[in-house]
Amino acid sequence: MLNRKLKLVLLPLDERPCNRLFPQHLFQHDGVELVVPETLGDKKQPADLEKVDQFLLNACRDADGLVLSLDTLLYGGLVPSRIHHKTPEELEPRMDIIRRLKQENPRLLIYGFQVVMRCPDYSSDDEEPDYYEQYGEQIHRAGEVLHRSRLGLCGDQELKVMLEEIDQDKLKDYVDRRSCNLQQNYRALELVEQGVLDALVIPQDDSAAYGYAAMDQQSVRDKIARKGLMRDVLMYPGADEVGLTLLARMLNHMAGRKPKVYVKYAAEGAKSVLPIYEGCSLDTTIRNQLLSAGCQITDSYENADIILAVTAPAERIEEAVQQPSQARGYCVERSLPELVDFVEERVREGRIVTIADNAYGNGGEMLLIRMLNRAHLLDEVAGYAGWNTSANTLGTAIAEGVDAYHFGITQSHQNFLVERYIEDAGYCGMVRARITRILSQYGMNYFDVREQDGVVSAKVRQELERFTREELSSIAPRVELHQVWMPWRRMFEVGLDASIRPQLLA
């Protein structure tokens, strides 16, 4: 539907595959040149900001659009945004680079995204400052009590006792960084107001009801409302999928289209469910995700360009490692057979169907995979995602639908789809827990597997190949797993490269 080749530039949130490789694997087509930096950072090691600047200035000079992570532009990545020691004065020139990009290429469409700094409720320094290992839970609790105190929900004495228990130097370091980052959120709103940024997403990486993050999010939300930017700046749960979402939006905008999307739930009660790690209803998040991707929701699948199938239960969402759940919300108030039957009929009609497998958190649902496999639908649907949070899953599945809408089911699209089955259902849903249980044999643990390519990645590959043979049997003979690695040398995420050979016609 695009009448010319587009050059799009992406500055990802960080170097992890979900941020850097997912967009390339999905959206790189003959009709789209997607340019990303050759090098970024490495977890707590920030990207070289001089190289980031040079990349942007060179790549954007003749580009049609830019999807820009402001956290990478300002701090060198997502984790560096939580541990830096920069001042607002030092960061001021960083934002001016966006103005320069617009001045040098006035036709450049710029969509930005910037996270409000999170505040985890557990003690771990894996992605936080070193002292969070000791004081993390206390810092989170202090923010929660402070917030509740300001709302009149608890007394000042509780706050006083809480603050006395924390190392004041560590708390000051943490609060000062939050304040600095919040000022950059405000500055991003100014760039939208001035037309430098054409759109902005502020994903809610932390959706706790009370605490430092909740206070900052409300402050940003109030400014958005006062400035009248409600349509230009969206806030909703998510983070790692936003690059995909905004690229989908850019394609829709440049094609002059707003695809109509019909949402098919496996359980009607799922609409009001609050997914784990998120703070608003599933239905509200879906509507925001679709709006952010440049789509419109429709109540009729007959009139839809894309059908989004949603597997969430009617009640509380559980972790994938707990599956299969026996809870009523999964087994009684949800009908996977009816959903799969619906998907099968729409596929037979030639419709674009993409599946958001958010039944569980942090992994796909094996019951669904087995039903799709038995029905020979794995390579017939246009999209599947089932990783990390419900919001991550939704954004990825929607992007797959948009890609199919504009470019059809290309070879690269099919490869990405197979990667989602292997990673989301295979690794996240099954293999990760299985390998984690044997790490102690190698003197390793969940947060430290020492290397990207070594004994653990070899074990993971072996298990993923077995998963493919056993659980994806309808397509397994055509699937090849080329590479497996551990990007951040821990178990939470995996990197992989896979492909599927085209189906031979009889």
Side-chain angles (χ1 to χ4, degrees), residues 182-200:
L182 185 59
Q183 293 303 313
Q184 308 318 306
N185 295 134
Y186 295 159
R187 289 201 65 202
L189 298 182
E190 293 173 4
L191 293 181
V192 176
E193 199 172 22
Q194 296 160 8
V196 180
L197 284 174
D198 296 285
L200 177 66

Side-chain angles (χ1 to χ4, degrees), residues 47-266:
D48 185 320
L49 295 183
E50 289 187 9
K51 290 183 179 179
V52 168
D53 296 351
Q54 202 57 52
F55 163 77
L56 289 172
L57 291 168
N58 291 337
C60 292
R61 195 165 288 124
D62 61 346
D64 298 286
L66 166 65
V67 172
L68 174 69
S69 165
L70 274 71
D71 293 294
T72 300
L73 177 70
L74 291 169
Y75 317 108
L78 178 61
V79 173
S81 76
R82 302 168 184 162
I83 61 176
H84 71 88
H85 295 284
K86 298 180 184 296
T87 66
E89 292 73 27
E90 290 175 302
L91 291 169
E92 189 166 345
R94 305 294 308 153
M95 285 289 200
D96 291 336
I97 293 168
I98 308 175
R99 298 182 191 276
R100 181 176 171 185
L101 294 175
K102 201 78 163 186
Q103 289 168 355
E104 293 189 1
N105 183 359
R107 70 182 181 87
L108 182 70
L109 188 68
I110 306 178
Y111 293 160
F113 60 108
Q114 183 182 34
V115 177
V116 171
M117 186 172 143
R118 73 176 191 175
C119 184
D121 61 359
Y122 51 83
S123 293
S124 169
D125 64 356
D126 185 52
E127 297 184 29
E128 315 299 328
D130 292 344
Y131 55 77
Y132 218 86
E133 178 73 32
Q134 182 176 357
Y135 297 106
E137 200 171 339
Q138 288 179 305
I139 289 173
H140 174 86
R141 177 63 180 152
E144 187 178 64
V145 173
L146 176 62
H147 191 184
R148 291 171 62 87
S149 175
R150 289 179 178 179
L151 295 173
L153 299 177
C154 69
D156 292 341
Q157 183 61 30
E158 184 179 350
L159 177 61
K160 181 175 181 294
V161 171
M162 187 73 238
L163 293 177
E164 286 174 351
E165 295 176 356
I166 303 176
D167 184 304
Q168 293 303 302
D169 290 337
K170 303 296 189 295
L171 183 61
K172 183 179 186 304
D173 174 82
Y174 182 80
V175 171
D176 286 350
R177 186 175 299 109
R178 291 204 67 92
S179 177
C180 176
N181 288 14
L182 185 59
Q183 293 303 313
Q184 308 318 306
N185 295 134
Y186 295 159
R187 289 201 65 202
L189 298 182
E190 293 173 4
L191 293 181
V192 176
E193 199 172 22
Q194 296 160 8
V196 180
L197 284 174
D198 296 285
L200 177 66
V201 170
I202 300 181
Q204 295 170 265
D205 189 33
D206 182 336
S207 298
Y210 302 102
Y212 288 117
M215 287 188 285
D216 288 352
Q217 288 164 4
Q218 187 58 53
S219 179
V220 173
R221 193 176 288 109
D222 290 344
K223 279 193 178 291
I224 292 170
R226 285 198 298 271
K227 291 176 178 291
L229 299 174
M230 298 290 286
R231 293 192 65 189
D232 303 293
V233 183
L234 296 176
M235 289 186 71
Y236 56 84
D240 289 327
E241 84 293 341
V242 179
L244 286 168
T245 301
L246 290 181
L247 283 167
R249 177 177 182 159
M250 195 163 278
L251 290 172
N252 285 331
H253 175 83
M254 291 179 175
R257 299 296 185 94
K258 279 196 172 182
K260 296 182 180 66
V261 179
Y262 174 77
V263 182
K264 171 65 176 177
Y265 289 92

Side-chain angles (χ1 to χ4, degrees), residues 301 307 341-351 353:
Y301 76 81
I307 294 169
D341 184 71
F342 178 87
V343 167
E344 186 173 30
E345 290 304 309
R346 302 296 79 77
V347 166
R348 284 180 178 175
E349 294 169 357
R351 313 298 291 272
V353 182

